[in-house]
Amino acid sequence: MEAHAINRYIGTSPRKMRLVIDLIRGKSVPEALHILHFSPKHAARVAEKVLRSAVANLQNKDEAGRLEPEEIVVRRASVDGGMTMKRISPAPMGRAYRIRKRSNHVMIVVAAREAAPVKSKPSSKTTAKMAPKATAKAKAKETAKKAPAKETAPKKATT
């Protein structure tokens, strides 16, 4: 089960936000919140707000009961560019410079951590099928090593 939260039109550039979002992708929620809370970047405050919203959405979605934050993982986190406001700044000699005020959209998807799958041992049938091939290859290598290499006599040059 997973839930997501989106915050749109955030007033920072997407590049600055991606630096923060890359820190939390794939981490557990308590670890991600800890990283965001103590990050000095302004974008971390917004990302923390979105992450908390996504966790609340997942807990509201869960009908069986309340999920523990340790069981929740940041599955996906992405930053997309939003609209760019164009402004003009005066420049010398009657010219103007263009200022581009960028914005971004943040989407964070969280999911409950699934139990680690238990690896089953291969059945005896599959190991029996694989064993003769392995031994046949090993025997072929051994016979190749034991057999002396054929020496060829050098060819005489004719003049």
Side-chain angles (χ1 to χ4, degrees):
M1 176 174 16
E2 60 184 32
H4 71 278
I6 301 173
N7 193 355
R8 296 185 189 274
Y9 305 106
I10 301 166
T12 61
S13 70
R15 186 174 180 178
K16 291 177 183 177
M17 185 62 80
R18 281 189 193 105
L19 290 172
V20 173
I21 292 297
D22 289 342
L23 295 173
I24 65 167
R25 192 175 289 121
K27 302 259 194 296
S28 67
V29 167
E31 186 179 0
L33 285 172
H34 188 264
I35 290 169
L36 293 175
H37 186 73
F38 291 106
S39 175
K41 296 187 176 290
H42 177 266
R45 306 290 167 256
V46 178
E48 183 179 0
K49 177 182 163 187
V50 177
L51 179 59
R52 288 184 188 276
S53 177
V55 170
N57 291 343
L58 182 66
Q59 288 179 342
N60 286 338
K61 202 181 239 189
D62 184 30
E63 298 159 357
R66 185 176 160 93
L67 287 171
E68 292 300 321
E70 292 81 24
E71 299 173 1
I72 304 172
V73 178
V74 178
R75 175 76 48 92
R76 287 190 314 259
S78 64
V79 178
D80 298 323
M83 69 171 199
T84 302
M85 294 189 295
K86 291 161 180 95
R87 301 287 183 259
I88 293 177
S89 173
M93 301 173 78
R95 290 182 296 226
Y97 291 147
R98 179 168 284 176
I99 297 173
R100 297 164 70 190
K101 297 189 174 210
R102 301 177 189 271
S103 66
N104 65 67
H105 310 308
V106 175
M107 182 177 82
I108 297 179
V109 178
V110 294
R113 182 176 293 165
E114 297 155 5
V118 178
K119 292 185 178 181
S120 61
K121 294 181 180 179
S123 66
S124 60
K125 291 179 183 178
T126 57
T127 54
K129 289 178 184 176
M130 293 170 27
K133 291 178 185 176
T135 55
K137 287 181 183 178
K139 287 181 183 178
K141 286 182 182 178
E142 288 177 18
T143 55
K145 288 180 183 177
K146 289 180 183 177
K150 294 183 181 179
E151 295 181 22
T152 56
K155 293 183 179 179
K156 293 182 180 177
T158 57
T159 55

